[in-house]
């Protein structure tokens, strides 16, 4: 009603009222989510966008809004009996992706090469022979394969168990240590109530040894973990400068008037004397991203949300669908220590509905 009264100093009146209208709509819609932590996170994001004078973060605001729309629609449209439909659709995606990986290994990638661009606008093409499926790069493919493991194990059938075991192959090809760690931990979580005490201990030891051997012997010699740890340390050190408000939405990869620098991954000197440095466009760590761009308030809201998820699961009936979604979310929170699946549309498209369906699954039946 009163948008016409709004104004932002130093900004054209029409543009200012467009911002007020758009951001006000986001804030009002956030109330429909009926989750205090998500609503507060949306409001915090809008507040930070305005606080840093709308200089960067437009893509964050739009993605947060569209993601919240999907979250809301899933909660409204899906009932508990519809969850198997979502789970089966996800498994179909896994099988289709595995089939496409076989084509890539046979050098018969019918999309040929995937065009990509980095944060500097530089165009490059991925090697079509890499077994990445439809997920762009090996690590993200491995992350999605790890997410499939609790879904298969929740079936509690021989075929489901064999499919879960078969995920070792794409995980091996993915060369992603955090995906292996997530796969081991979620497998232990899923097997806890299925095996006898002795069998569970033996399975746990075997899984830990297998995962450790892969990380140390296969991935570590060519991994980027030391580089990422160094980068996280720099980002967290810089985050201390604005520990309450963070540096602003999308500020990690975007030079701004208050942060003109970006983070270099490595630097090289070409034979002609020119210099080149690859740039980090994402810290590859959800928790570092929250602290750096949203400040301490962002990470506190995430902790509150995670606590709510744990309490909801504790009070819920442990049917196969609820346990499967719980395992899926466990994988997500683990892989987010070194990857960024929620920042990619290709994976956010099923991660956001999974969170919404977990709420649906844990909701107590009305009397």
């Amino acid at each position: 009603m009163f948008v016409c009264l709004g104004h932002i100093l130093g900004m054209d009146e029409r543009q200012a009222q467009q911002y007020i209208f758009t951001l006000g709509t986001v804030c009002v819609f956030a109330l429909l989510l009926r989750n205090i932590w998500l609503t507060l996170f949306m409001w915090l994001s809008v507040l930070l966008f305005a606080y840093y004078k709308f200089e960067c973060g437009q893509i964050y605001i739009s993605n947060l809004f569209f993601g919240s729309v999907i979250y809301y629609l899933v909660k409204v449209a899906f009932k508990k009996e519809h969850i198997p439909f979502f789970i089966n659709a996800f498994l179909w995606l896994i099988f289709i992706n595995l089939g496409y990986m076989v084509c890539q290994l046979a050098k018969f990638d019918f999309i040929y090469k995937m065009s990509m661009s980095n944060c500097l606008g530089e165009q490059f093409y991925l090697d079509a022979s890499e077994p990445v499926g439809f997920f762009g790069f090996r690590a993200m493919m491995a992350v999605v394969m790890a997410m499939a493991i609790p879904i298969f194990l929740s079936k509690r059938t021989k075929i489901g168990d064999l499919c879960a075991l078969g995920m070792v192959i794409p995980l091996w090809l993915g060369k992603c240590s955090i995906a292996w760690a997530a796969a081991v931990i979620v497998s232990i979580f899923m097997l806890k109530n299925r095996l006898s005490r002795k069998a569970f201990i033996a399975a746990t030891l075997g899984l830990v040894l297998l995962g450790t051997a892969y990380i140390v012997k296969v991935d570590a010699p060519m991994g980027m973990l030391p580089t990422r740890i160094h980068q996280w340390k720099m980002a967290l050190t810089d985050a201390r400068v604005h520990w309450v408000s963070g540096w602003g939405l999308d500020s990690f990869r975007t030079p701004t008037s208050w942060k003109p620098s970006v983070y270099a991954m490595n630097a090289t000197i070409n034979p002609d004397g020119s210099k080149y440095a690859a740039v980090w466009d994402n810290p590859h760590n959800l928790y570092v991203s929250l602290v750096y761009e949203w400040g301490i308030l962002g990470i506190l809201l995430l902790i509150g949300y995670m606590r709510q998820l744990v309490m909801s699961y504790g009070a819920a009936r442990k049917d196969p669908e609820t346990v499967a979604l719980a395992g899926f979310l466990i994988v997500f929170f683990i892989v987010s220590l070194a990857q960024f699946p929620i920042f990619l549309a290709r994976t956010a498209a099923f991660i956001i509905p999974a969170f919404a369906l977990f709420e649906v699954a844990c909701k107590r039946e009305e009397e």
Side-chain angles (χ1 to χ4, degrees):
M1 181 67 70
F2 299 100
V3 169
C4 60
L5 303 180
H7 187 68
I8 300 173
L9 292 177
M11 184 178 291
D12 175 77
E13 183 180 11
R14 287 188 178 183
Q15 185 181 13
Q17 292 178 353
Q18 180 65 47
Y19 269 120
I20 294 170
F21 173 74
T22 302
L23 298 177
T25 301
V26 172
C27 290
V28 172
F29 187 84
L31 293 169
L32 295 177
L33 301 179
R34 295 189 177 182
N35 184 301
I36 185 62
W37 304 108
L38 297 181
T39 298
L40 289 176
F41 184 75
M42 295 284 287
W43 287 359
L44 174 62
S45 300
V46 169
L47 176 63
L48 291 176
F49 184 50
Y51 177 75
Y52 282 106
K53 301 178 181 180
F54 317 104
E55 186 170 332
C56 69
Q58 290 87 346
I59 189 66
Y60 274 35
I61 292 295
S62 63
N63 284 344
L64 284 169
F65 176 70
F66 292 129
S68 66
V69 169
I70 294 174
Y71 187 90
Y72 170 76
L73 292 176
V74 170
K75 284 183 66 174
V76 170
F78 276 69
K79 297 181 180 179
K80 200 163 185 175
E81 57 267 27
H82 300 144
I83 295 177
F85 174 80
F86 171 83
I87 289 176
N88 290 333
F90 179 72
L91 293 182
W92 273 109
L93 173 64
I94 296 298
F95 288 126
I96 292 171
N97 192 71
L98 289 171
Y100 193 53
M101 288 172 62
V102 172
C103 294
Q104 291 170 328
L105 287 170
K107 299 188 183 300
F108 186 68
D109 189 333
F110 46 85
I111 298 181
Y112 302 108
K113 291 189 176 183
M114 182 179 290
S115 173
M116 301 284 284
S117 61
N118 60 21
C119 62
L120 299 178
E122 298 167 335
Q123 199 80 9
F124 61 96
Y125 297 88
L126 296 174
D127 185 353
S129 64
E130 281 198 352
V132 300
F134 292 100
F135 292 101
F137 55 101
R138 284 175 181 259
M140 197 53 58
M141 177 275 294
V143 163
V144 178
M145 296 300 112
M147 289 176 171
I149 290 176
I151 307 296
F152 283 124
L153 290 177
S154 69
K155 300 292 184 180
R156 296 200 173 195
T157 62
K158 291 183 178 179
I159 295 178
D161 293 347
L162 287 174
C163 288
L165 182 61
M167 291 299 100
V168 169
I169 298 174
L171 282 170
W172 186 282
L173 296 173
K175 300 187 183 301
C176 179
S177 293
I178 196 64
W180 268 88
V184 168
I185 293 171
V186 80
S187 297
I188 294 171
F189 169 78
M190 298 296 295
L191 294 174
K192 182 178 180 181
N193 296 322
R194 290 184 54 181
L195 304 176
S196 64
R197 186 170 180 272
K198 291 183 179 180
F200 175 72
I201 293 174
T204 299
L205 290 174
L207 287 167
V208 171
L209 289 174
L210 176 63
T212 303
Y214 178 86
I215 293 171
V216 173
K217 298 294 184 181
V218 179
D219 193 37
M222 54 187 304
M224 293 186 63
L225 186 58
T227 304
R228 289 183 183 176
I229 291 175
H230 178 67
Q231 189 276 320
W232 297 337
K233 182 180 178 181
M234 287 193 300
L236 291 174
T237 299
D238 291 344
R240 292 164 54 190
V241 178
H242 295 286
W243 67 275
V244 176
S245 61
W247 286 92
L249 308 185
D250 203 20
S251 59
F252 182 87
R253 66 174 179 173
T254 307
T256 62
S257 59
W258 61 91
K259 188 197 74 72
S261 59
V262 292
Y263 294 92
M265 187 183 303
N266 51 53
T268 58
I269 300 178
N270 298 321
D272 60 359
S274 61
K275 298 179 181 179
Y276 174 81
V279 176
W280 290 95
D281 65 344
N282 188 291
H284 291 67
N285 187 309
L286 173 63
Y287 313 99
V288 172
S289 290
L290 285 170
V291 173
Y292 189 91
E293 298 182 336
W294 278 267
I296 192 66
L297 295 177
I299 202 70
L300 288 177
L301 290 177
L302 176 63
I303 292 171
Y305 181 55
M306 293 173 69
R307 177 179 178 273
Q308 183 188 67
L309 294 176
V310 173
M311 293 178 64
S312 297
Y313 181 73
R317 187 174 60 184
K318 306 303 186 291
D319 53 64
E321 291 78 21
T322 304
V323 175
L325 290 171
F328 183 98
L329 299 189
I330 288 172
V331 173
F332 167 78
F333 284 117
I334 294 173
V335 297
S336 293
L337 285 166
Q339 289 297 333
F340 48 102
I342 198 61
F343 287 88
L344 297 175
R346 71 197 77 161
T347 45
F350 51 79
I351 291 173
I352 293 172
F355 273 96
L357 289 175
F358 184 75
E359 279 200 40
V360 174
C362 292
K363 187 178 180 181
R364 293 182 179 179
E365 299 290 338
E366 296 182 1
E367 295 182 0

